[in-house]
Amino acid sequence: MNNLEEVLVNLQCELVAERTRLNPKTISWLQYDILNILNSETEMRPSKMSVLLGISRTKLSKALKELKLMNYIQQKPNDADGRELLTFLTIEGSHLLTTIDNGHTHLSEIANAVFNRKEKEQFAELAKKYLEALKTERLRYDE
């Protein structure tokens, strides 16, 4: 494994460990990702969510059912197409995300402590570029 591969694997592991530490209700990573995606849009079709998350509709359906039971999401019929439901966050779901997001300030604090201003700008720019490439690659498989 080369240095870049090793750093990427270790970074992923550390971020997963942070995510686990900040999860007060022990929801799954997939459930968190679903809530996070719903937080960026008012409501969303499950078909779009499965594409954005890169998972099967069956796996998504199971996670959505669990989130509904926990009262973190609700679903309603799509007025434009009654065959599919629109999914949206409940107030409880929004509160849970806020609680978890408050813990994410820890990541910024560490970055602020180890990077100078220029390094923070470079890291943010490079990470954004890499994230966009990963997302584009994942979405390309669904086309």
Side-chain angles (χ1 to χ4, degrees):
M1 184 180 305
N2 68 37
N3 189 38
L4 178 60
E5 289 174 12
E6 187 176 332
V7 167
L8 290 173
V9 167
N10 289 333
L11 179 61
Q12 181 181 28
C13 290
E14 285 301 321
L15 291 174
V16 167
E18 277 296 309
R19 178 187 244 181
T20 302
R21 186 181 68 79
L22 298 173
N23 186 353
K25 301 288 185 180
T26 57
I27 59 173
S28 73
W29 300 333
L30 174 57
Q31 291 167 337
Y32 173 81
D33 290 341
I34 291 168
L35 295 176
N36 198 45
I37 283 176
L38 290 172
N39 195 41
S40 66
E41 294 194 27
T42 328
E43 51 193 28
M44 189 180 292
R45 297 180 336 273
S47 57
K48 183 177 178 183
M49 267 189 272
S50 68
V51 169
L52 290 173
L53 293 168
I55 61 169
S56 70
R57 289 288 302 268
T58 304
K59 189 172 185 176
L60 176 66
S61 181
K62 183 180 180 210
L64 291 175
K65 183 177 181 179
E66 293 165 350
L67 287 168
K68 280 196 293 190
L69 289 172
M70 292 184 269
N71 200 32
Y72 292 141
I73 64 163
Q74 288 184 344
Q75 292 182 305
K76 67 178 183 179
N78 184 346
D79 292 335
D81 181 357
R83 296 174 293 172
E84 191 162 43
L85 297 173
L86 293 174
T87 306
F88 56 96
L89 281 177
T90 62
I91 292 171
E92 290 84 358
S94 292
H95 288 307
L96 176 63
L97 276 180
T98 299
T99 300
I100 293 171
D101 287 345
N102 286 341
H104 288 158
T105 58
H106 178 68
L107 297 174
S108 296
E109 290 168 355
I110 292 172
N112 283 324
V114 299
F115 295 139
N116 64 37
R117 185 191 57 78
K118 185 173 174 99
E119 290 170 331
K120 284 187 270 191
E121 290 171 3
Q122 290 172 330
F123 182 79
E125 183 180 322
L126 293 171
K128 184 176 179 180
K129 183 177 181 179
Y130 185 57
L131 289 169
E132 287 298 320
L134 288 172
K135 184 177 181 180
T136 299
E137 182 74 15
R138 185 181 68 254
L139 295 178
R140 189 177 75 188
Y141 285 115
D142 192 63
E143 292 176 346

